[in-house]
Amino acid sequence: MKKLLICCLFGNTANSLAKKMQHAADARGIKVLVSAVGLDNFASVAPAFDAFLVAPHVQYKLDELVKEIGEGLPITVIESYPYASLDGEKVLMFALEHMPELTQ
């Protein structure tokens, strides 16, 4: 099972989105574990994950986050509207489209 981490400023919005994404993944039979974290705790939990989504309002930290995880692991910024509307289904499909590694 692949592990996907969503990072936002404090982790609250990302946590709500992660729960909705997990529900959508479970309903579709997709074997992925979706979790969330705030920027302050990203470095300490990132080694346990296979792929990363970044909230649009913290995309300015993307270069720093890439340095934390190293090259080779997929990381992308979530589109603004699906993130803001907490559309777990849409963000899950976005992640799977941009990170095919999640289904391998």
Side-chain angles (χ1 to χ4, degrees):
M1 178 177 288
K2 298 289 183 166
K3 296 179 198 167
L4 173 64
L5 183 65
I6 307 171
C7 179
C8 76
L9 190 57
F10 299 111
N12 297 332
T13 305
N15 189 44
S16 296
L17 181 59
K19 287 178 183 175
K20 291 184 177 197
M21 289 175 68
Q22 187 66 61
H23 180 73
D26 292 345
R28 289 177 169 259
I30 299 169
K31 302 271 188 221
V32 66
L33 177 67
V34 186
S35 297
V37 70
L39 279 173
D40 289 344
N41 296 318
F42 182 83
S44 63
V45 300
F49 289 85
D50 304 302
F52 306 88
L53 290 174
V54 179
H57 60 282
V58 293
Q59 65 182 316
Y60 67 95
K61 293 278 194 179
L62 186 60
D63 290 341
E64 290 176 38
L65 298 177
V66 169
K67 286 178 187 173
E68 291 288 342
I69 64 170
E71 296 296 323
L73 291 177
I75 183 169
T76 192
V77 177
I78 304 168
E79 295 172 325
S80 296
Y81 185 75
Y83 180 82
S85 62
L86 296 176
D87 190 336
E89 181 80 24
K90 192 169 225 173
V91 176
L92 177 65
M93 293 301 108
F94 173 84
L96 294 174
E97 178 182 324
H98 288 82
M99 298 182 231
E101 302 91 342
L102 288 174
T103 56
Q104 296 175 352

